[in-house]
Each structure stands twice: as structure tokens, then as C-alpha cells.
Amino acid sequence: MPTQPFQPEELLNRSSLTEEELGLLLQYLQQTDSSALRSLLLEKFADDIAAAGSMELPGELSARMLENIRQATVQVQEPARSRFWRPAKVAAAAVILLLASAAFWFLRPVKQPEPSLAAMQNPRSDVAAPSGTRATITLANGQQIVIDSNQSGTLASEGAVQIERAADGTIAYHGSATETVYNTLFNPRGSKPVSLTLSDGSKVWLNSESSLKYPVAFNGKVRPVEITGEAYFEVAKNSAMPFRVSVAGKGTVEVLGTHFNINSYGDETHTHVTLLEGSVRVALPESQPVVIQPGQQASYANGLQRGIGISVKNGVDLAAVMAWKNGYFNFDNADLYQVMRQLARWYNIQVKYEGKIPHRVFGGDMQRDLNLSEVLKLLEKNNVHFRIENDQLFVRP
């Protein structure tokens, strides 16, 4: 008699699974790109997935899935190095949450996710992750060019300099000019990161709610640019013309040729400059400048504080710093308000708080292509609740 085809949606009506069904479920989760059903199954059968360590599972599935489970279990005992969602003050129930998070990380889809079930029932009760860029370039004459995700070819000209967009989405400046004129690339909330190649060959990736002001061609003794928000730089080497970044009108970062990340959002307490390759010099108007090496991070306070100076952290988790560029949120000992600020920028929402919100601290990675409701499901396991109404996210105890 022929075997009945596996119907994962039927498992939602089950309270428990046989060993054979669990094996089929894990294989399905490994292969599926349906985020709505995937998230429901992961939530419902978190205990069964946790128990999979005692099962004989086939080949690659067993090795890869159970290794993630093993790592998550070990990391419960190492709070400072946790790489998965973990509320710092909830130890007893953390294992199931960590296992669900590990499965989300391991089973991230290649394709853009389908809308969640909540979104299908009520489109105004969920927010999808950005599917493309909404960036704009403001030319020297004030003209604004909207970057279309499907657009390629020449976007505009600034004298003899051509602004082009390649098929892979990279914006590039080609040509030279004797007159120094500036353009500004702005990547708003709710927009995927956008990449830019400057006229000297330097590459910049701009996160959401960030801007970069730059000359269309570099002349003079330095290569000056200015950023707000967050950007990752791969600077072309030129010992005769240092590359200088003005950060939100306060600090400066100067290099000859190197790879580094700057996080300087106005609503965060500190600016962080993290070095991946080469060396950079970080300076403030009223502080001694510091030079950092790969794996180090220079930080200074935002706002009007003066005389506090620049601190340097060694052994920085570079993968965590670069998570945004690689399609992830990263929460490194982040409180709930820091988490909400990241979500607000990515999903282009306003966050409002109702009542006395309990203190929670999180650590770990989460993919950024999930619907907002799917991200919130994991947060809600920790005594915090949410309600989405249009473009507003309400947080309550």
C-alpha cells in the first residue's frame, strides 16, 4: 500500500508526535521556505525538538540540527557569550526558548518569507520585513533620485561623473571632476541596506535610517565624507590622500585604507567604531585621539557630554557587529528598549510603551527577513507583550 504524503499542517492539531513524525517534521523544517507554517510548528513542538538529541536521525540532518541544539544548551551556562535569544534573568525556561531560536537561525529561508497567518487574516496587524531599498540620492543641485530596486544603468550625471546602478544593486560613481560638489545618499527606515562605490573605489554599505554625504570626486589632500546612523567601509588604499569620516558632526575617523564599521545613531547613548582590517585613528575635539587595531572597538558618548573621552574594547565579536550587513539583528546584552529601537528602524514603526515594562536583557542573533509578528513571538515568552496596530507597536507588561 503506498505511503501517505507527509502533511505538516495536520500536525498543528496534534498534541504529541511519534518518533517517525518528529523525524519527518525536522526534515520538513530543514527544507521549507514557508515562514508562517514554520514558525507555528517550531513554537508548538519546541519540547519535541529539544528531545531530538536522543533520536537516531538521518545523516546530515542529525549532525547539523543537533549540533545547533548542543551549542544552544551549552550557551545557557555561558550568559556573556550567548549567541541566541536569552532573557538574562530567566534561567529555568531558557532552554526551550534557545532551542526555538537555534532552529529559526538554522532554518532561515533563502527566499523572502510568505506573510504570516496573522498578516493574511488582517494585513494591518503585522509588518513585513523590507523587501527592497527605498534609498535616495540628493544631487548637488537639490534634485532627488529615488533608487528603484529593479533599476539598473545610469541614474544621473554630475558634470563628467556618471552615477550608475549595477545589476547587483550597487551604486557606483565613475569619472573625475575638478570642482568639489557633494551628493547625499539617504537610506530611510524600513529599507534594506544599500551599497555604494565612491569615485576612488572605496565601498560603503549603509544601514537603514542612515545617511552618507560625499564628494562626487575626491580633490585636495583628504577624502572627506560624513555619516549619520550606521555604515561599513572598505576604503581603497591611498597613502597620499587619507580617508576621513566625520561622524554625526562630533568625532572623526581617519584611515589610509582599511575595513571598519561605524554605529552612531542619534537615539543611542554611544558611538562605536569597530575595526576589521588595517588601523584607524578616532578623534574627538576635546579628547586625546586613539588608534585601534583589528578586533578592537573605540566608543564615546553621544549627546552633549564633554571630557569623557574615548574608551577601547578588545576582542570584539566582529560577526555580531556585522550582523546587520549579513541579514541579522544582533542583541549583545541589549535591554528591551535597545531591541525595540533596532526593530523600529528595520520595520519602520513607532514604538509606544504602556504601563510598567519589566526589565529584560537579551543576547543573540535573529534573522531580519521575518515578519515583525514572528520576532515578537519569541519576545513574548519573557513576560512582555505586544500589539501591532497599523504602523505602531505597543509594548505592555
Side-chain angles (χ1 to χ4, degrees):
M1 187 172 179
T3 304
Q4 293 293 323
F6 179 60
Q7 301 291 336
E9 61 274 7
E10 295 181 0
L11 299 181
L12 294 174
N13 299 320
R14 302 285 302 279
S15 58
S16 62
L17 301 176
T18 66
E19 184 172 308
E20 179 182 5
E21 288 171 333
L22 179 56
L24 291 172
L25 172 61
L26 292 175
Q27 288 179 319
Y28 169 78
L29 293 173
Q30 163 71 5
Q31 298 167 0
T32 185
D33 59 4
S34 173
S35 62
L37 181 58
R38 183 182 71 247
S39 61
L40 291 175
L41 290 169
L42 282 168
E43 182 177 5
K44 183 175 180 65
F45 296 109
D47 289 337
D48 300 84
I49 293 172
S54 62
M55 288 182 57
E56 226 16 86
L57 295 176
E60 181 183 0
L61 176 63
S62 174
R64 294 178 66 187
M65 175 67 81
L66 296 185
E67 176 61 16
N68 279 292
I69 292 175
R70 185 194 68 77
Q71 290 179 0
T73 305
V74 170
Q75 287 161 350
V76 173
Q77 304 170 9
E78 302 178 8
R81 300 297 297 170
S82 174
R83 298 297 302 136
F84 300 94
W85 287 78
R86 180 188 55 79
K89 297 187 177 181
V90 184
V95 175
I96 292 177
L97 176 60
L98 290 170
L99 293 174
S101 300
F104 267 98
W105 175 86
F106 177 64
L107 298 168
R108 60 186 184 274
V110 175
K111 300 178 182 178
Q112 290 296 318
E114 298 174 2
S116 69
L117 294 184
M120 289 186 280
Q121 294 168 0
N122 183 356
R124 300 181 65 83
S125 66
D126 200 359
V127 182
S131 59
T133 181
R134 299 170 51 231
T136 60
I137 296 175
T138 302
L139 304 180
N141 63 4
Q143 178 186 352
Q144 192 174 83
I145 300 171
V146 177
I147 308 301
D148 187 333
S149 296
N150 299 316
Q151 183 180 10
S152 62
T154 301
L155 302 178
S157 298
E158 286 279 32
V161 178
Q162 301 295 312
I163 309 170
E164 298 180 352
R165 189 174 190 275
D168 66 358
T170 300
I171 302 164
Y173 282 67
H174 301 288
S176 60
T178 56
E179 182 183 1
T180 300
V181 295
Y182 284 83
N183 285 183
T184 299
L185 175 64
F186 174 62
N187 200 30
R189 286 184 172 212
S191 177
K192 297 183 76 170
V194 61
S195 59
L196 171 69
T197 301
L198 299 170
S199 61
D200 68 335
S202 296
K203 297 180 180 179
V204 187
W205 285 260
L206 206 59
N207 204 351
S208 54
E209 199 175 19
S210 303
S211 69
L212 177 73
K213 183 178 180 181
Y214 51 93
V216 299
F218 292 106
N219 300 300
K221 297 181 179 180
V222 297
R223 293 174 283 170
V225 301
E226 181 178 345
I227 77 152
T228 64
E230 185 165 28
Y232 169 67
F233 293 83
E234 292 184 354
V235 176
K237 289 181 170 59
N238 184 344
S239 58
M241 189 182 292
F243 193 94
R244 185 176 296 163
V245 185
S246 176
V247 185
K250 184 175 181 180
T252 60
V253 178
E254 186 170 305
V255 303
L256 297 177
T258 187
H259 299 177
F260 60 98
N261 190 82
I262 299 177
N263 183 307
S264 186
Y265 285 107
D267 57 359
E268 300 292 349
T269 60
H270 286 75
T271 288
H272 304 289
V273 181
T274 309
L275 187 63
L276 285 76
E277 178 183 305
S279 66
V280 302
R281 178 179 178 271
V282 182
L284 292 174
E286 299 182 7
S287 178
Q288 187 71 20
V290 301
V291 176
I292 59 174
Q293 303 301 322
Q296 292 184 322
Q297 182 179 83
S299 301
Y300 58 82
N302 292 333
L304 300 177
Q305 302 98 319
R306 295 186 177 183
I308 298 178
I310 303 169
S311 63
V312 177
K313 179 180 179 181
N314 296 313
V316 175
D317 186 344
L318 298 180
V321 172
M322 298 309 303
W324 69 270
K325 180 176 175 289
N326 298 320
Y328 295 91
F329 297 111
N330 177 264
F331 306 111
D332 183 9
N333 199 34
D335 63 30
L336 182 64
Y337 298 95
Q338 291 172 306
V339 172
M340 289 298 103
R341 287 195 291 271
Q342 284 202 44
L343 297 184
R345 296 183 196 115
W346 183 242
Y347 292 100
N348 190 23
I349 55 171
Q350 291 182 331
V351 179
K352 297 188 176 181
Y353 298 90
E354 299 177 333
K356 185 176 181 180
I357 307 300
H359 179 66
R360 292 289 182 268
V361 178
F362 299 89
D365 291 334
M366 174 58 62
Q367 65 209 59
R368 297 213 294 181
D369 60 359
L370 298 173
N371 284 359
L372 178 58
S373 64
E374 296 177 286
V375 176
L376 298 178
K377 282 180 183 178
L378 293 178
L379 290 174
E380 285 186 326
K381 293 178 181 291
N382 301 289
N383 230 9
V384 185
H385 303 282
F386 306 91
R387 183 178 81 257
I388 304 171
E389 292 183 5
N390 299 326
D391 295 326
Q392 293 184 324
L393 173 62
F394 295 87
V395 185
R396 62 187 191 278

